Amino acid sequence: MIAHSFTGEIFGPAQRLHGATYVVDATFRRPELDDDGLVVDIALAGGKLREVLDEMNYRNLDDEPAFAGKNTTTEFLAREIHERLARALRAGELGEGARGVSSICVTLNESHVAWGSYEGSP
Amino acid sequence: MIAHSFTGEIFGPAQRLHGATYVVDATFRRPELDDDGLVVDIALAGGKLREVLDEMNYRNLDDEPAFAGKNTTTEFLAREIHERLARALRAGELGEGARGVSSICVTLNESHVAWGSYEGSP
Amino acid sequence: MIAHSFTGEIFGPAQRLHGATYVVDATFRRPELDDDGLVVDIALAGGKLREVLDEMNYRNLDDEPAFAGKNTTTEFLAREIHERLARALRAGELGEGARGVSSICVTLNESHVAWGSYEGSP
Amino acid sequence: MIAHSFTGEIFGPAQRLHGATYVVDATFRRPELDDDGLVVDIALAGGKLREVLDEMNYRNLDDEPAFAGKNTTTEFLAREIHERLARALRAGELGEGARGVSSICVTLNESHVAWGSYEGSP
Amino acid sequence: MIAHSFTGEIFGPAQRLHGATYVVDATFRRPELDDDGLVVDIALAGGKLREVLDEMNYRNLDDEPAFAGKNTTTEFLAREIHERLARALRAGELGEGARGVSSICVTLNESHVAWGSYEGSP
Amino acid sequence: MIAHSFTGEIFGPAQRLHGATYVVDATFRRPELDDDGLVVDIALAGGKLREVLDEMNYRNLDDEPAFAGKNTTTEFLAREIHERLARALRAGELGEGARGVSSICVTLNESHVAWGSYEGSP
């Protein structure tokens, strides 16, 4: 549940300070399941996603040093969250089994009619 | 898609400037349908709801004079939108047939797990 | 998945022959559960609802004798389906336990943003 | 909200004139975001989609010259809408930034359990 | 995510040991908001609901002493969860402001087409 | 609506006998539509999916010989259902037109926040 504003005429009224609820999904893909019959440990993956989102939640993103000079569009945030999850996966924080994941897709649902995703290898 | 902040310790991290997407539904009830077999003219009602929401959309509610000194909680906003719709109905802006409406319920869906409503006579 | 058209200027472009998918929910209420711990036998109630909908499905409602001279609005259809379910309940087709039902609410969801209901005693 | 009928025994009761509500989503994909940090200008894309849908909405598709001799199945309509959006994109109607879009996927949700999509390059 | 079985011919194949995911919503109503502009402190209410559900989650309800001799139907569980939330509210666990709540409605969504609720004063 | 339990410490409380509702979607893809303008005959495909699910529904999967020694995770079940649908398609049970299908994706939605899929050629 973040506040932010955008720079650029193309954004129209969204140049004003406004806000959004993002309901965020992460999808993990792999060619073969791990030894436990899993794509990923959903408790570890869900916990890490929660942790990544808590770093942004209830904030004005215009004031976050990490996003200085950026338009924090839905698409931009999807990639940012993807990178933080991918980094955690590579560091083993999602478990050893998760090393077989070939792709992570992060989707930000911003309303009942608008969403944005970023998909890439971890 | 609004920004706002809350005053009071009970709000925890929501005391910071943050934001929300509200998907807003309005439900109209009446004992008998009007002569056209309608509860309300959905084009007029939907247009008026759109108009009321545009008065708040893409804004920081902390800066709106109408809400000065108020916590613009979901519950508070539901009542505010109810009152603006009810006023329009009483003024005939939803059509003459709408005068038979006995109740309006306004619901703000703020995420996949949280919502707030206000219901009352128009 | 019905076709129909409406009569009356208030309906604008919906005066033309068009169509709709209605996803139909029926809600049964009662003060106390029956002896099996149920509001209603969901298999019987769901089967009857299916049967009532099949009487209308894949049809042009403008050609149905039962609806001659009527605008088959969402609101109108909700009441019609309510009456057919209520009649079945009173005739014992939803089981003896269902006689304790005090109210049936029928909702027609016609899109992601529009719906209509009729609620009344059976 | 269209009316139509299908030709061919395989369609069973859908050979009768009937109708459907289609809730239509368009998804745009690209390898890199444009200079504003966007996949596509959502206001332009949403407006164009609205315009394409208005050409079909509240109509009996059996009477539309553009669809003469065709079964206007969900799959067929998804491709048709894709082509109209793709043509608009190529003509610059979705903005210059949209020229980097590599794929458009159009999905028609026809009920809570059935949908069809067409995906291809613009 | 519970396992259970039902006793009684009316339950047909559900007499076998099977299971269900229940997505549980609690709705609180009151005539006037509290001094903070709230119906209820959503963090306290959500935390308590989570706690009540954890007492049942990942279990075979047939083995729970609290439910011995009962059919743990959706309707029955809705009332059970209502009572546990109501008891917490009366004990002040949802905050002093929550004492103004006049009604709690608990809904168990068991699939995309079936749900059950219990509503009553706390 | 199945009951099951998992073997392995990684599953935490899900090692206990519990249960789940799975709402199951099957998506069929192909490069070109068949002669009727269809991806697949939705009545045949839906009927076959229903039949495959009925083989598992209202059961304790721990007792099914077909799954002996397996963790019936969401991912595992998605592949199992995929294989049964693919076998039916290859046997002509989804109609001759279905032979042009190049991919089937089976998704098990197990709650409002968790799902698993398997996608492959038939």
Side-chain angles (χ1 to χ4, degrees):
Chain A
M1 301 190 80
I2 56 88
H4 60 173
S5 63
F6 296 142
T7 301
E9 266 180 53
I10 197 175
F11 293 103
Q15 294 174 86
R16 298 198 297 254
L17 182 65
H18 63 287
T21 308
Y22 292 111
V23 178
V24 184
D25 295 315
T27 307
F28 298 80
R29 300 183 212 272
R30 58 191 300 167
E32 297 291 336
L33 298 182
D34 72 11
D35 293 344
D36 294 303
L38 294 175
V39 170
V40 71
D41 180 329
I42 197 173
L44 287 179
K48 189 67 202 179
L49 178 57
R50 182 72 270 157
E51 197 183 311
V52 168
L53 297 183
D54 282 346
E55 294 163 9
M56 306 181 186
N57 204 10
Y58 290 118
R59 288 174 204 277
N60 179 356
L61 299 186
D62 294 355
D63 294 341
E64 294 296 300
F67 303 139
K70 307 280 189 186
N71 276 327
T72 53
T73 60
T74 307
E75 299 91 317
F76 172 88
L77 291 172
R79 182 172 195 161
E80 186 68 25
I81 295 167
H82 177 278
E83 281 176 8
R84 296 185 190 188
L85 282 180
R87 202 179 307 136
L89 186 153
R90 292 191 310 262
E93 295 179 52
L94 306 192
E96 285 310 302
R99 293 193 190 279
V101 167
S102 53
S103 169
I104 305 175
C105 180
V106 172
T107 301
L108 278 72
N109 302 282
E110 70 179 84
S111 77
H112 63 316
V113 292
W115 70 95
S117 293
Y118 180 82
E119 177 157 9
S121 55
Chain B
M1 301 190 80
I2 57 88
H4 59 174
S5 63
F6 296 142
T7 300
E9 266 181 53
I10 197 174
F11 294 103
Q15 294 174 85
R16 299 198 297 253
L17 183 65
H18 63 289
T21 309
Y22 293 111
V23 178
V24 184
D25 295 315
T27 306
F28 298 79
R29 298 185 215 271
R30 59 192 299 167
E32 298 290 336
L33 299 182
D34 71 11
D35 294 345
D36 294 302
L38 294 174
V39 169
V40 71
D41 179 329
I42 196 173
L44 287 179
K48 188 68 203 179
L49 178 59
R50 183 71 271 156
E51 197 184 312
V52 167
L53 297 182
D54 283 345
E55 294 163 9
M56 306 181 186
N57 204 11
Y58 290 119
R59 289 175 203 277
N60 179 356
L61 299 187
D62 294 354
D63 294 341
E64 294 296 301
F67 303 139
K70 308 280 188 185
N71 276 327
T72 53
T73 60
T74 308
E75 298 91 317
F76 172 89
L77 291 172
R79 181 171 194 163
E80 185 69 24
I81 295 168
H82 177 279
E83 281 177 6
R84 295 187 191 186
L85 282 179
R87 201 179 309 137
L89 187 152
R90 292 192 308 263
E93 294 179 52
L94 304 192
E96 286 309 303
R99 295 194 188 278
V101 167
S102 52
S103 168
I104 304 175
C105 179
V106 171
T107 301
L108 275 73
N109 302 282
E110 70 178 85
S111 78
H112 63 318
V113 292
W115 71 94
S117 294
Y118 181 82
E119 177 158 9
S121 55
Chain C
M1 302 189 80
I2 56 87
H4 59 173
S5 63
F6 295 143
T7 300
E9 266 180 53
I10 197 175
F11 293 102
Q15 295 175 84
R16 298 199 297 253
L17 183 65
H18 64 288
T21 309
Y22 292 110
V23 178
V24 184
D25 295 316
T27 307
F28 299 79
R29 300 185 213 272
R30 59 192 299 166
E32 297 291 336
L33 299 182
D34 71 11
D35 293 344
D36 294 302
L38 294 174
V39 170
V40 71
D41 180 329
I42 196 173
L44 287 179
K48 188 68 203 178
L49 178 58
R50 182 73 270 157
E51 197 183 311
V52 167
L53 296 182
D54 282 346
E55 294 163 8
M56 305 181 186
N57 204 10
Y58 289 120
R59 290 175 202 276
N60 179 355
L61 299 187
D62 294 354
D63 294 342
E64 294 297 299
F67 303 140
K70 307 279 188 185
N71 276 327
T72 54
T73 59
T74 307
E75 298 92 317
F76 173 88
L77 291 172
R79 181 171 194 164
E80 185 69 25
I81 295 167
H82 177 278
E83 282 178 6
R84 296 186 190 187
L85 282 179
R87 202 179 306 139
L89 187 152
R90 292 191 309 262
E93 295 179 50
L94 305 191
E96 286 310 302
R99 294 192 189 279
V101 167
S102 54
S103 168
I104 305 175
C105 179
V106 171
T107 301
L108 277 72
N109 301 282
E110 69 178 86
S111 79
H112 63 317
V113 291
W115 72 93
S117 294
Y118 180 82
E119 177 157 10
S121 55
Chain D
M1 302 189 79
I2 56 87
H4 61 172
S5 63
F6 296 143
T7 300
E9 266 180 51
I10 198 176
F11 293 104
Q15 295 175 84
R16 297 198 298 253
L17 183 65
H18 63 288
T21 308
Y22 292 112
V23 178
V24 184
D25 294 316
T27 307
F28 298 79
R29 299 183 212 273
R30 58 191 299 166
E32 298 290 337
L33 298 182
D34 72 11
D35 294 345
D36 294 303
L38 294 175
V39 170
V40 71
D41 180 329
I42 196 173
L44 286 179
K48 189 67 203 180
L49 178 58
R50 182 72 270 159
E51 196 182 311
V52 167
L53 297 182
D54 282 345
E55 294 162 9
M56 305 181 187
N57 204 10
Y58 290 119
R59 289 175 203 276
N60 179 356
L61 299 186
D62 294 355
D63 294 341
E64 294 296 300
F67 302 140
K70 307 282 189 184
N71 276 328
T72 53
T73 59
T74 307
E75 299 91 315
F76 172 88
L77 291 172
R79 182 170 195 164
E80 185 70 24
I81 295 168
H82 177 278
E83 282 177 7
R84 296 186 190 187
L85 282 180
R87 201 179 309 138
L89 186 152
R90 293 192 309 264
E93 295 179 52
L94 305 191
E96 285 311 302
R99 293 193 190 279
V101 167
S102 54
S103 168
I104 305 175
C105 179
V106 172
T107 300
L108 276 72
N109 302 281
E110 70 178 85
S111 77
H112 63 317
V113 292
W115 70 95
S117 292
Y118 180 82
E119 177 158 10
S121 56
Chain E
M1 301 189 81
I2 57 88
H4 60 172
S5 63
F6 296 142
T7 300
E9 266 181 54
I10 197 174
F11 293 103
Q15 294 174 85
R16 299 198 298 254
L17 183 65
H18 64 288
T21 309
Y22 293 111
V23 179
V24 184
D25 295 315
T27 307
F28 298 79
R29 299 182 213 273
R30 58 192 298 166
E32 297 292 336
L33 299 181
D34 72 10
D35 293 346
D36 294 302
L38 294 175
V39 170
V40 70
D41 180 329
I42 196 172
L44 287 179
K48 188 67 202 178
L49 177 58
R50 183 72 270 157
E51 198 183 311
V52 167
L53 297 182
D54 282 346
E55 294 162 9
M56 305 182 187
N57 204 11
Y58 289 119
R59 288 175 203 278
N60 179 356
L61 299 187
D62 294 354
D63 294 341
E64 294 297 299
F67 303 140
K70 306 280 189 185
N71 277 327
T72 53
T73 59
T74 308
E75 298 92 316
F76 172 89
L77 291 171
R79 180 171 195 162
E80 186 68 25
I81 295 167
H82 177 277
E83 282 177 7
R84 296 185 190 188
L85 282 179
R87 202 178 308 138
L89 186 152
R90 292 191 309 261
E93 296 179 51
L94 305 192
E96 286 310 302
R99 294 192 189 279
V101 167
S102 53
S103 168
I104 305 175
C105 179
V106 172
T107 300
L108 276 72
N109 302 282
E110 71 177 84
S111 78
H112 62 317
V113 292
W115 70 95
S117 294
Y118 180 82
E119 177 156 11
S121 55
Chain F
M1 302 190 80
I2 56 87
H4 59 173
S5 63
F6 296 142
T7 300
E9 266 181 53
I10 197 175
F11 294 103
Q15 294 174 88
R16 299 197 297 253
L17 183 65
H18 63 288
T21 308
Y22 293 111
V23 179
V24 184
D25 295 316
T27 307
F28 299 80
R29 299 183 213 272
R30 58 191 301 167
E32 297 291 337
L33 298 182
D34 72 10
D35 294 345
D36 294 303
L38 294 174
V39 169
V40 70
D41 180 328
I42 197 173
L44 287 179
K48 189 69 203 179
L49 178 58
R50 182 73 268 157
E51 197 183 311
V52 167
L53 297 182
D54 282 345
E55 294 163 8
M56 306 181 185
N57 204 11
Y58 289 118
R59 289 176 202 276
N60 179 357
L61 299 186
D62 294 355
D63 294 341
E64 294 297 300
F67 303 140
K70 307 280 188 185
N71 276 327
T72 53
T73 60
T74 307
E75 299 91 317
F76 172 88
L77 291 172
R79 182 173 194 162
E80 186 69 25
I81 294 168
H82 177 278
E83 281 177 7
R84 297 185 190 187
L85 281 180
R87 201 178 310 137
L89 186 153
R90 292 192 308 263
E93 295 179 51
L94 305 192
E96 286 311 302
R99 294 193 189 279
V101 167
S102 54
S103 169
I104 305 175
C105 179
V106 172
T107 301
L108 276 71
N109 302 282
E110 70 179 85
S111 77
H112 63 316
V113 292
W115 70 95
S117 293
Y118 180 81
E119 177 157 10
S121 55

